Amino acid sequence: MLTLNETHDANLTSWVASANNANNKSSDFPIQNLPFAIFRRKGSKESFRAGVAIGDQILDMAAAYQTTVFSEDRSTGKVRKALKACCDETLNRFMGLGFEHWSALRRALFHALRTGADEESELSGCLVPMADVEYRLPCQIGDYTDFYTSIYHATSVGSLFRPDNPLLPNYKWVPIGYHGRASSIEVSGHSFRRPCGQTKAPDADQPSLGPCKRLDYELEMGIFIGAGNASGEAIKLDQADQHVFGLCLFNDWSARDIQAWEYQPLGPFLAKNFASTVSPWIITLEALVPYFTTFERPVDDPQPLPYLDSEKNRQQGSIDIQLSAHLLTEQMSQKGEAPAQLSQSSFRHSYWTINQMVAHHTVNGCNLQPGDLLGSGTQSGPKPEEAGSLLELSNGGKKPLSLPNGENRTFLEDGDTVIFKGYCEKQGHARIGFGNVQATILPALTDSGE
Ligand code: CA
């Protein structure tokens, strides 16, 4: 059961000193967080393996497995099995073990990393400074499904693409989504080329092929599936959280001019499949329990159908995660200036909850698998300045944004780096963060190969 337990106790600290600064916001990773990534020392030939963030350090799970701390005599079978799976080069096997194993390992790590723990002497040798590592995708992503759960985003984008009919009638009944492309998802820190594609200006007679002129980001949450379901069996709403391993920050890059021309009747295709970026750290759903909050539907809106409705979902279906998007242009970067914040929002505004997404995705018997990724859809909030894309912030490219250094943007330019951050904060609980996700845009590939 996902409930508050001793691993959420805000008063407890770690013997890793840098983990104890969460209240002054210097670390996203206090002992109450304990997220997972796949890493190795930068530039080394080491095998990739799982790590757990603690302050500015990473607890190397393969090294920890070799200590006596989590040996057969001192650990439960679940902890030992979970830790062994964390020695793999991906998290898939660990994710597939299910909630009982994730939770047992979290509890064991929490106790071993606490101030005063006997385990310090052995585990201190298993720490790797975060600054010295490189990451790769936390798991092999078999399938990627992108939802569309912000009604504010759906309405404002709909009004740009279909002014007479912004929000389609199914929106308030169906957690809308489409099947995306997993092969082009990369971990934070990469660069990718501006996509080329077919576009058609409204006044043009016919479309043409060329580099995207309206390249955009989408501020989303990524939701990693842990234990899957058998084909033909649905995951029930109130059990769905047992199947969700955790959340990351997710940028679902979008080519708006390609999208506008191609999206009807079957939805996004080349406008969305060229690149998406995940943050290296997956925050487990159990770490997020303190920030679960009520899921509310406006009284005038249709209430969800019974398979998407429950008391538990109403009481604690939403998660209050603060999200922000930042832009570092090439010019800012060259001058050593700080990135400019473009907007901020919260995942709590989502029109559908994670459990509703999972229950709906499987209601037809579709089988989810360990490592599958669900995108939440762009998380725009109710206010215009809470929009999660440039399409919305620039009102469809009509109103350029002024950046603090005097530059303007309607859409992204070559050399731009987009950075998302996320954190949870609540009175009486530790502040936990997601780290960040970032990627940089390179010029389009031209015929000359440049
Ligand atoms: Ca998206």
Side-chain angles (χ1 to χ4, degrees):
M1 280 284 286
L2 275 162
T3 50
L4 283 173
N5 56 44
E6 79 267 21
T7 68
H8 303 102
D9 186 341
N11 296 316
L12 296 182
T13 55
S14 172
W15 50 260
V16 180
S18 59
N20 302 329
N21 298 324
N23 290 335
N24 61 26
K25 302 193 178 181
S26 65
S27 175
D28 278 347
F29 307 118
I31 192 168
Q32 293 82 5
N33 195 346
L34 304 177
F36 289 82
I38 291 289
F39 81 103
R40 71 177 175 191
R41 281 182 185 78
K42 211 181 285 178
S44 77
K45 294 261 187 328
E46 294 174 351
S47 297
F48 281 95
R49 68 275 191 188
V52 168
I54 179 78
D56 60 8
Q57 304 289 310
I58 296 174
L59 184 66
D60 179 339
M61 302 301 276
Y65 182 68
Q66 300 300 329
T67 67
T68 67
V69 171
F70 301 107
S71 63
E72 272 166 40
D73 342 330
R74 294 178 66 189
S75 298
T76 67
K78 283 197 179 75
V79 172
R80 186 86 188 140
K81 193 172 170 188
L83 197 62
K84 185 157 190 269
C86 287
C87 300
D88 290 359
E89 294 202 340
T90 70
L91 287 174
N92 295 75
R93 191 156 63 101
F94 176 51
M95 291 167 142
L97 290 177
F99 174 75
E100 300 287 327
H101 285 82
W102 314 329
S103 190
L105 182 58
R106 173 179 167 84
R107 214 172 278 241
L109 291 170
F110 185 86
H111 286 287
L113 290 166
R114 271 174 63 175
T115 303
D118 295 339
E119 290 87 344
E120 176 178 353
S121 56
E122 268 198 280
L123 288 186
S124 57
C126 303
L127 296 177
V128 181
M130 215 174 261
D132 296 347
V133 311
E134 58 191 11
Y135 300 101
R136 77 171 182 193
L137 281 179
C139 56
Q140 190 180 351
I141 301 169
D143 277 300
Y144 156 48
T145 304
D146 199 22
F147 283 87
Y148 198 50
T149 67
S150 165
I151 195 168
Y152 307 106
H153 175 73
T155 305
S156 56
V157 171
S159 66
L160 292 167
F161 283 12
R162 295 178 306 275
D164 50 335
N165 190 18
L167 196 68
L168 296 171
N170 58 4
Y171 188 86
K172 292 181 177 179
W173 296 97
V174 180
I176 297 290
Y178 70 96
H179 285 115
R181 178 113 197 133
S183 66
S184 52
I185 301 174
E186 294 206 43
V187 75
S188 180
H190 70 118
S191 302
F192 65 92
R193 289 198 179 273
R194 175 179 297 275
C196 289
Q198 200 182 117
T199 61
K200 182 183 166 300
D203 52 354
D205 292 337
Q206 59 177 44
S208 59
L209 179 72
C212 163
K213 293 190 183 73
R214 290 160 73 96
L215 184 57
D216 201 356
Y217 64 84
E218 292 196 326
L219 177 60
E220 302 198 18
M221 296 302 316
I223 299 142
F224 279 107
I225 297 299
N229 58 305
S231 180
E233 288 177 9
I235 297 174
K236 297 272 180 270
L237 183 72
D238 283 352
Q239 272 84 57
D241 52 14
Q242 304 283 306
H243 292 262
V244 173
F245 178 70
L247 274 61
C248 69
L249 300 168
F250 184 53
N251 190 342
D252 189 35
W253 304 92
S254 297
R256 301 302 182 191
D257 43 357
I258 299 172
Q259 184 179 356
W261 171 231
E262 75 172 10
Y263 86 104
Q264 287 181 316
L266 287 186
F269 182 30
L270 301 188
K272 301 275 190 173
N273 70 359
F274 56 93
S276 305
T277 315
V278 293
S279 58
W281 293 104
I282 305 179
I283 315 301
T284 62
L285 203 55
E286 189 169 14
L288 293 166
V289 168
Y291 319 99
F292 286 2
T293 187
T294 51
F295 164 75
E296 285 160 12
R297 267 293 154 80
V299 284
D300 294 337
D301 280 7
Q303 296 305 302
L305 290 178
Y307 79 100
L308 296 174
D309 188 25
S310 74
E311 184 60 21
K312 177 175 156 183
N313 191 60
R314 271 177 259 134
Q315 290 305 317
Q316 55 171 54
S318 299
I319 313 179
D320 195 10
I321 303 172
Q322 310 305 316
L323 299 168
S324 59
H326 310 254
L327 175 65
L328 182 72
T329 67
E330 199 163 22
Q331 203 179 107
M332 290 175 189
S333 178
Q334 279 163 0
K335 291 185 177 165
E337 293 168 354
Q341 180 165 313
L342 299 178
S343 67
Q344 60 179 35
S345 184
S346 169
F347 186 44
R348 75 171 183 278
H349 299 306
S350 179
Y351 195 80
W352 299 102
T353 67
I354 291 175
N355 283 4
Q356 287 171 327
M357 290 182 233
V358 172
H360 181 68
H361 202 311
T362 60
V363 74
N364 65 345
C366 172
N367 52 326
L368 297 176
Q369 297 182 307
D372 279 359
L373 179 67
L374 311 183
S376 64
T378 308
Q379 292 303 301
S380 300
K383 298 178 191 153
E385 65 271 23
E386 292 172 334
S389 69
L390 284 172
L391 180 69
E392 295 158 88
L393 290 170
S394 72
N395 194 20
K398 294 195 276 289
K399 196 182 76 182
L401 275 73
S402 302
L403 302 175
N405 69 345
E407 288 181 275
N408 293 316
R409 285 291 180 281
T410 48
F411 293 95
L412 297 168
E413 295 188 5
D414 295 345
D416 282 354
T417 299
V418 177
I419 305 156
F420 297 164
K421 297 179 186 173
Y423 67 90
C424 299
E425 207 167 41
K426 187 181 177 185
Q427 190 73 33
H429 291 279
R431 175 194 182 278
I432 66 171
F434 281 72
N436 69 49
V437 61
Q438 60 175 290
T440 303
I441 295 154
L442 302 173
L445 197 64
T446 63
D447 289 344
S448 65
E450 286 301 300

